[in-house]
Amino acid sequence: MISVFGSANMDLVAYVAQAPKPGETLTGREFRTIPGGKGANQAIAAARAGADVAFLGAVGDDAFGPVLRAALAEAGVEVAALRVVPGPSGVAHIVVQDGGDNSIIVVPGANGAVTGPVGRDAEIIGRSDALLLQLELPMDAVVAAAQVPGTEVILTPAPAVPLPAELLETVDLLVPNEHEAAALTGRDDPRDALEALLDLVPEAVVTLGARGALYGSRDGTRLREAAVPVRAVDTTAAGDTFAGALAVARTEGADPARALRFASAAAALSVQREGASTSMPHRHEIDRLLE
Ligand code: ADP
Ligand code: NA
């Protein structure tokens, strides 16, 4: 079982040829509301990839709250521990331009009210095989969840902010993209960044977008996985799909090479479709790509 302690946002997505510059108004092609948030994305990705997943977090008492809950439940994610707090749900304002690049503003809403594991949360985390964390909740809440004993802690350090020592002490596997890895370490070359990350945590994966991913472990293992060559239409949540699938493979006992291949396949499938939760592949699709 995998637990995800993290954010749920409603993604408000505008599709446009090119993102507007400051002061500019453009006509977009399409607008969609799509359930997202790094936490909910990782939970849905992991559930679709074949794991039992529990989501721990909060939505607001607005119209988006029930939609976010339903999206998680529909993907098979356990939502009994998802709380409703007064005020708006988290939203992410996303501009997707042709070619798939996107720019994002996250307004935390209910995610900002999460203080740490409460009620049965710690018990759920403690009996999980892995806990997936990101940084769209208040840092104190993330630290408190990471400190629950008994589970492997996998952290996606996004958005990129300095990581307190008390958090790093608890992390087993860090999964930044190359920009986050550079921000965390001050090293622009992802290989150098990976080495610096291994001074902080026992294992790390640096994702490189269409160039694939690097893996390193303190036991000396270094791996490079090429991305599956595909035509990307929307890279929103590629990293979340990768992290969710990676956790599934690890909890199933896959070795690092196999886990990287599984995560790369899942992420490659997701970039070929629009949206976040709408684009995450099911297990049979991942298995078919790996055949
Ligand atoms: P994030 O979404 O966090 O910025 P990345 O852009 O590094 O993360 O993407 C995560 C993973 O998704 C990559 O390691 C790769 O496996 C896969 N991926 C991303 N973009 C592409 C692409 N254009 N083609 C194939 N795979 C991709
Ligand atoms: Na996508």
Side-chain angles (χ1 to χ4, degrees):
M1 199 261 280
I2 293 172
S3 53
V4 181
F5 184 82
S7 57
N9 293 324
M10 186 57 86
D11 289 352
L12 311 175
V13 192
Y15 297 87
V16 64
Q18 187 148 24
K21 294 170 194 63
E24 192 178 19
T25 299
L26 296 175
T27 300
R29 190 171 36 249
E30 194 187 347
F31 174 75
R32 291 195 201 170
T33 54
I34 305 175
K38 296 192 81 64
N41 286 345
Q42 293 189 2
I44 291 171
R48 293 231 181 103
D52 287 335
V53 180
F55 184 76
L56 314 170
V59 293
D61 60 4
D62 58 358
F64 291 147
V67 182
L68 294 170
R69 179 184 297 272
L72 287 158
E74 207 172 289
V77 175
E78 174 57 60
V79 290
L82 176 63
R83 266 173 295 282
V84 179
V85 300
S89 295
V91 296
H93 177 289
I94 303 180
V95 177
V96 179
Q97 58 179 23
D98 287 353
D101 279 331
N102 54 57
S103 49
I104 306 178
I105 302 166
V106 177
V107 184
N111 300 301
V114 176
T115 54
V118 297
R120 291 186 54 234
D121 290 1
E123 180 198 324
I124 294 168
I125 293 170
R127 63 181 156 81
S128 303
D129 301 301
L131 167 66
L132 286 173
L133 296 171
Q134 321 77 33
L135 299 175
E136 289 185 343
L137 297 182
M139 185 60 84
D140 288 351
V142 176
V143 170
Q147 287 172 338
V148 175
T151 186
E152 165 168 86
V153 176
I154 302 175
L155 172 65
T156 300
V161 293
L163 302 181
E166 55 184 339
L167 178 59
L168 284 168
E169 273 165 21
T170 65
V171 172
D172 297 291
L173 169 64
L174 205 55
V175 190
N177 67 21
E178 57 190 316
H179 311 292
E180 293 145 7
L184 282 174
T185 62
R187 314 279 182 86
D188 285 333
D189 184 317
R191 287 178 183 282
D192 297 340
L194 178 66
E195 298 306 320
L197 291 172
L198 293 174
D199 290 335
L200 307 174
V201 293
E203 287 180 275
V205 173
V206 179
T207 65
L208 311 172
R211 301 193 329 285
L214 302 173
Y215 167 86
S217 162
R218 277 186 190 161
D219 73 9
T221 307
R222 299 290 182 274
L223 299 170
R224 179 176 199 122
E225 178 74 23
V228 180
V230 296
R231 200 179 74 84
V233 300
D234 181 0
T235 60
T236 305
D240 294 329
T241 305
F242 186 99
L246 188 72
V248 173
R250 287 169 68 92
T251 58
E252 290 179 358
D255 65 22
R258 168 83 200 164
L260 273 186
R261 284 189 59 221
F262 187 83
S264 298
L269 288 163
S270 80
V271 302
Q272 296 174 75
R273 305 196 280 240
E274 289 186 339
S277 55
T278 43
S279 74
M280 284 146 185
H282 290 86
R283 178 60 172 258
H284 64 90
E285 299 175 280
I286 304 171
D287 286 342
R288 197 186 312 136
L289 185 57
L290 290 172
E291 267 167 16

